[in-house]
Amino acid sequence: MSTLLEVSGVSVSFDGFKAINNLSFNIGPAELRAIIGPNGAGKTTFMDIVTGKTRPDEGEVLWGEKNQSLLRLSESQIAQTGIGRKFQRPTVFEDQSVEDNLLLALKKNRSPFSVLVFKKAEADTAAIQALAEDIGLSDQLTRKAGELSHGQKQWLEIGMLLAQDPQLLLVDEPAAGMTLAEREHTTTILKDAAKSRAVVVVEHDMEFVRRLECKVTVLHEGAVLAEGSLDHVTKNQDVIDVYLGR
Amino acid sequence: MSASSRLALFCALVWLSLLVLIAGAVRPATAQDLGPVQALLQDNRQLIEESSRRSIGPAIDALGSSGLDRAPVFLEAWQARSVYQRDADGLFFIGSEADGTNLALDVDTGESVGEITRDGFTQLRPNGGIRSMIGAALVQFQLQDPDPDRRRGALQAIARDAEASHLTALRGSIESEEDPAIRAAKERLERVLTITFDPDETARINAIDGFSGDIGLDVRATLNPLVLTRSEVVPGGEPPATRNVARVLEPGSDSLTIDEAYDQLVAARLAPAMVSTEDIRAALIANISDGSVGEFAVADLDTDEARLAAYQALAAQGIVPSSPTEQEIADALATHTFFESYAERSSAVTDAANATLQSIEFNLIANRSLDFTLDAVSLASIYFLAAIGLAITFGVMGVINMAHGEFIMLGAYTGYVVQLFVPDYTLSIIIALPLAFAITFAAGVAMERLIIRWLYHRPLETLLATFGISIALQQLAKNIFGTQARPFTAPDWLDGAFVLNDVVAISYIRIAIFVLALIFLAIFLFVMNKTRLGLEVRAVTQNPRMAASMGINPDKINMLTFGFGSGIAGIAGIAIGLFGQVTTELGQQYIVQSFMTVVVGGVGNIFGTLAGATMIGGLQKGIEWLNPSNTLAAQTYMILFIILFIQFRPRGIIALRGRAADM
Amino acid sequence: MMERTFLARNPSVLIFIALLALFTLAVTVLSEGLGTGFVSTAMVKTLGMTLCFCLIAIAMDLVWGYCGILSLGHFAFFGLGGYMIGMWLMYARTEDIVIASLAGADLPPTEQEIVDAIGTQIFGVVGSSEFPWVWAFADSLLIQLVLVVAVPGLLALVFGWLAFRSRVTGVYLSILTQAMTLALALYLFQNDSGLRGNNGLSGLQNIPGMADTPQSVLSVWFLWASAVALGLGYMFAAWVVSGKFGSVIRGIRDDEARVRFLGYPVEAYKLFVFTITAVMAGIGGALYYPQAGIINPAEVAPIASIYLAVWVAIGGRGRLYGAVIGAAFVSLLSTWFTGGRVPDVDLGFYTIEWVSWWQVALGVSFVLVTLFAPRGIGGLFDLFINRRTPDRHGADLGPDTGSLREKEAET
């Protein structure tokens, strides 16, 4: 199986504290992967490194068919190569309408001059309508994003992620603060997305992870502790030690 | 020489020889009647009456070398134009004006012998030349005066305006000098004067060599004129042997351009002058007739080329002198020698002077670097003082207070007001320091409670609101205290400077500010690291919700921290007010630099602020050193440097990394 | 077609242009030069200058209200624009004077003599007669007009590139921009800066070649020019913020990191907005200083740019008409109060003279606006059109603490 993203031997430390310690991680195209781990295991830092927010002290992050190194690219360049990220808390542009939010995310030329002369075509409206359909917000398009409920914001953000049409989705705690029905909807969206692209979900909630029915990577103290199916890793003694304490 | 003057000279000579004869003949008899000074004066009576600068020398010397106690008294009176000669017998008296009458005092006893009347006495009126000769003669007495202050005064007078005659007097006075300090000063001055005035070349060279590496101003002032050169030009290929040549210059080289060389030739009247555009203009105007110059219409003469053509036409007719051609210039330069020569004739002396000056230069650079470092340190302490309050409010709390500069101003005005009521400068400062802290502390607390509290996590709005306060406070100060600078005077013990040598000196007030900066650093470290308050402050800034759940009242801590930072600004105001002047713009001058200091150093770290202040202070002084005439440019370049610096270290010199840095 | 839909989508632009035209016409009709004389020439100039302030306020609103960059240095660009046009005005007018005075000379002057005489006239006050290199194109109106746009634009481009590249944001950027304008002011204060030190450039109200046109007429022309520039500036700014570009820059203001993770080169957008607003400021300055008559380094002192922020904040940032209202309202009020024509308030024990107390009142009212009316005067319009702001439930919204300053997301 070819790999889409290859993280090898990455370490980063903040003021002496090793947040990531010689971490290696691979994911193929069209794969759904869940990352779990206790607080401070380095889950968010891992995402920061892949998306270019944090530069690692050592190690290599390679991307795509051509094994392009991501370490020399800026956040926006990484995003343009096809990596989308959803943050822990829903971050949508509250002051702008749902439609504008989706339009912002829609895959287009991102340079200032082309954006300045950008005119919305029929196809764009249709694409936005279709996306809104997917995330269940088709009747909310003209509302300001700030007025949406918490769950709706989460979906809007996932919708924006899909609008970017990325090859890799990094999703941080998508189910936090959702009702049961909303969680089921979210699971469906993510599993659908993983049919055509790689999806990495960071999650605390074991029930939610179980619902995803995918390979699980357990992080601990900045390194991979175990990898495999959820049943497999929950039987691992190390994982039990970490989660339940010694 | 005319016949009459010849006759006068003859008469004078006869008179002189007669006088000598008479003096020699009558001395035994008159010595009993006259005091020794009067006798001496009568011996030289002719010269004194004549009072000519050329001939008076022996008379003054006779008095000077007489060793008589009263001789200097007479000389001083003479110099002050208060010596009178009685017409009747030619005796000299010192005039002493008292109660509107002018008494004649005996030159030997100093006792009054009666009143000076206008028709019976003639006042001696020595001219400037003679008076300075008298002054020189007096120096030797002053150098041996029992009063050490007068001896020091004499040394200073000599150093200011030395003459050859001083050297002998100085040498004569060293032996008997008992005060070691004055003796050292005398010996040093003697060596300095030797360089200039000693006729013996070896002595001069020895003296020069003795000053190797000495950075004293007096030495440099003595040596520099020795190696002064002037440019000269002579026909032929060699400089004249009589000149002490520093170097021969080649026209067309970097040190002497062709134009300069030719100008030198023209100035020395060794070559015809070039015709300048001005000359051409003048010549053309002089030759205008009927609206044209020669064949050229005046209206066409509006370019340099046309004017030159018209001029050359005139020159061809011989009406005006023609300008030398390039070939003529080259020939003229080739047949002359250009060189720089020393005014000092002895090449051995100039060589020694150059060598000594070189060694001095090296020491001078070392000492200037030291002086520069001290300057930079003291500027850095001022910046540090101004910024340390900000390091608390901005660095620790993350609150941007644009009125910080006005708090500094408030502290300075507190000092000024206290001095209005407490005239004793020392006491007033002791009162003003805590008072300034209290006032700015209160102002800070009030501002925190009324404004900043509502704007936490909205830094840009905090910035704007505090700007409003800054504008209002500044105008209030203007309304109350006026726009002119107010004095806030340092006590006497802070006046003056600690002088290491002629180059390195640092004023006590700068030292005091440096010490104050150190004290504040210590206080800051103590409060933040060793006290309960510091612990709570750190807790609140790192995680206010968690701190609140631990029973800390974040409101109270924020209020106290802000008050503390503002209070320190007030004390900084006292220091800055003492150092400079108290104006309403005082705060503004420091606010941008203070923020720069905190930002460059690294927010949230007091040692960063220290490093920032050191860097900015050092940098500003460094740029001023390179370009001393222009402090405005120094500030411009410093700000540009900071903008560039932030490129390379966006988080400052001492940067926090990781999550803490995302604040 | 495009323009119509744009105007149709933004009726406020039409209303603004109509009001501006009405105002300009009214002033013209009432002016001394072309109308009844009810409005004095000095007043026409003040109004024309106020329009220039409105233009730079729009630029400030674009960069701060929409893009979230609190620039405390935009008056540097304003001043540079003024200096650029001022150099030509001063050169050309001095040239006229010099040629007139040399006409009676014995020989017709050479070009060099004319240039030397101009140099002596202009730089005599700073003890020089040589033309510094910055005056190289001062004799060409066309080039100086290009420089009006190019110099502020270039400075903004270089400064912005350096600042944004190193990710300096928020108050740090504000302080840095303030340092920039301080550095420029200090530089210009030097006598050897080549721009006459603290004397500045003067006599700019005399337009070369128009000696016969009275100031009363010139002032109306400049009023028109300023009004046209303001109208164009307003339309341009409205066009920029109404489309997807506006959406992106408001996104940058509210959550820079999020926009970056959407793949937008945030730095390029900021640089674009910073530079284009600097150019607008430069044009405003080039129209302002011929009406003011004099420009000196004090004009670019940091305090001027702070007042600019004050205008926009009081008018209401994040809406273009708010910036215009703020600039016009506060600057005219300032002129009125500091002009000494407002009656003093006698409190019995103390008389409040507005000339010296206006600043205090301004400072305090600024604090009050920031605290109690962050939407400014423009916020009053919301009462009429019932504009709603989203309820954020008071939560912190950014991906990491503090990256979204909740209140600042409001418009």
Side-chain angles (χ1 to χ4, degrees), chain B residues 61 132-133 135-137 139-140 143 158 162-171 193 197:
Chain B
D61 287 349
S132 71
M133 288 170 78
V139 158
Q140 58 169 318
L143 282 174
I158 295 174
E163 283 176 32
S165 62
H166 291 153
L167 185 56
T168 335
L170 190 58
R171 282 180 179 156
L193 293 191
F197 297 114

Side-chain angles (χ1 to χ4, degrees), chain B residues 281 285 298 301-302 307 457-458 460-461 464-465 467-468 475-476 479 595-596 603 630 633 635-636 639 647, chain C residues 64 106 108-110 113 162 165-166 172 175 179 183 186 190 306 317 356-357 359 363 366-367 405 407:
Chain B
R281 199 181 122 86
I285 290 173
V298 168
L301 296 176
D302 58 353
R307 288 185 183 183
H457 301 298
R458 290 152 70 187
L460 292 186
E461 301 206 343
L464 291 174
F467 256 138
Q475 186 62 41
L476 265 179
N479 292 352
F595 271 110
M596 290 284 164
V603 175
N630 210 330
Q635 289 190 39
T636 312
I639 293 170
Q647 293 301 300
Chain C
W64 179 33
D106 297 321
T110 65
E113 279 173 344
L162 289 173
R165 193 187 70 104
S166 55
Y172 295 88
I175 293 169
L186 289 175
Q190 303 169 67
I306 294 165
R317 66 203 137 106
S356 49
W357 282 93
Q359 293 270 47
F366 187 41
V367 175
R405 273 98 200 188
K407 285 288 174 184

Side-chain angles (χ1 to χ4, degrees), chain C residues 2 20 28 41 43 46 58-59 65 68 95 143 158 200 210 271 280 288 290 325 373 386:
Chain C
M2 159 69 200
L20 182 64
T28 310
T41 299
M43 191 63 203
T46 305
I58 287 176
E95 187 178 30
I143 295 181
V158 171
M210 294 195 189
L271 193 55
M280 285 171 76
Y288 177 89
I325 292 170
N386 199 18

Side-chain angles (χ1 to χ4, degrees), chain C residues 55-349:
Chain C
L55 180 59
I56 190 180
I58 287 176
M60 181 69 180
D61 198 20
L62 209 53
V63 78
W64 179 33
Y66 283 91
C67 201
I69 305 166
L70 175 51
S71 163
L72 295 179
H74 260 57
F75 251 92
F77 307 126
F78 192 79
L80 278 177
Y83 264 107
M84 288 308 130
I85 198 67
M87 278 154 73
W88 176 76
L89 286 170
M90 203 161 176
Y91 184 94
R93 179 158 177 276
T94 315
E95 187 178 30
D96 287 351
I97 296 171
V98 162
I99 288 177
S101 74
L102 287 181
D106 297 321
L107 287 182
T110 65
E111 270 175 40
Q112 191 55 45
E113 279 173 344
I114 292 176
V115 171
D116 288 347
I118 298 173
T120 314
Q121 278 273 325
I122 295 181
F123 300 107
V125 66
V126 288
S128 165
S129 61
E130 297 281 312
F131 270 97
W133 61 271
V134 287
W135 289 72
F137 306 111
D139 55 338
S140 159
L141 173 62
L142 186 70
I143 295 181
Q144 288 299 133
L145 282 178
V146 170
L147 290 181
V148 161
V149 177
V151 170
L154 213 62
L155 175 63
L157 195 69
V158 171
F159 178 86
W161 184 76
L162 289 173
F164 300 137
R165 193 187 70 104
S166 55
R167 299 270 168 94
V168 180
T169 53
V171 290
Y172 295 88
L173 188 63
S174 303
I175 293 169
L176 213 57
T177 52
Q178 193 181 19
M180 175 198 73
T181 189
L182 178 66
L184 182 69
L186 289 175
Y187 178 77
L188 290 174
F189 264 120
Q190 303 169 67
N191 276 345
D192 50 2
S193 68
L195 290 164
R196 307 202 337 147
N198 60 358
N199 305 290
L201 308 180
S202 53
L204 309 183
Q205 73 277 20
N206 305 304
I207 308 304
M210 294 195 189
D212 301 331
T213 317
Q215 285 291 318
S216 56
V217 177
L218 276 179
S219 64
V220 178
W221 289 3
F222 268 102
L223 179 80
W224 274 92
S226 308
V228 168
L230 176 61
L232 289 176
Y234 192 94
M235 287 209 311
F236 173 76
W239 175 66
V240 165
V241 299
S242 64
K244 189 177 173 188
F245 192 90
S247 191
V248 174
I249 60 173
R250 276 182 292 152
I252 292 172
R253 172 193 67 191
D254 295 344
D255 192 340
E256 189 177 318
R258 186 72 183 87
V259 179
R260 203 171 276 135
F261 286 122
L262 279 177
Y264 289 95
V266 168
E267 283 66 40
Y269 280 83
K270 285 181 168 180
L271 193 55
F272 182 87
V273 173
F274 194 69
T275 308
I276 204 79
T277 54
V279 168
M280 285 171 76
I283 293 171
L287 284 167
Y288 177 89
Y289 288 104
Q291 303 183 63
I294 182 164
I295 179 170
N296 59 46
E299 302 280 324
V300 299
I303 192 74
S305 300
I306 294 165
Y307 279 127
L308 179 59
V310 172
W311 297 340
V312 176
I314 287 183
R317 66 203 137 106
R319 58 185 92 209
L320 296 173
Y321 58 86
V324 172
I325 292 170
F329 179 72
V330 182
S331 73
L332 284 178
L333 215 59
S334 286
T335 315
W336 191 48
F337 273 108
T338 52
R341 268 177 289 172
V342 185
D344 296 342
V345 179
D346 195 351
L347 298 177
F349 58 94

Side-chain angles (χ1 to χ4, degrees), chain B residues 231-232 247-253 255-256 264 336-340:
Chain B
S231 304
E232 288 188 83
R247 58 174 180 163
V248 176
L249 297 170
E250 196 58 45
S253 63
S255 37
L256 186 70
Q264 227 174 305
H336 290 86
T337 305
F338 298 86
F339 62 95
E340 285 177 349

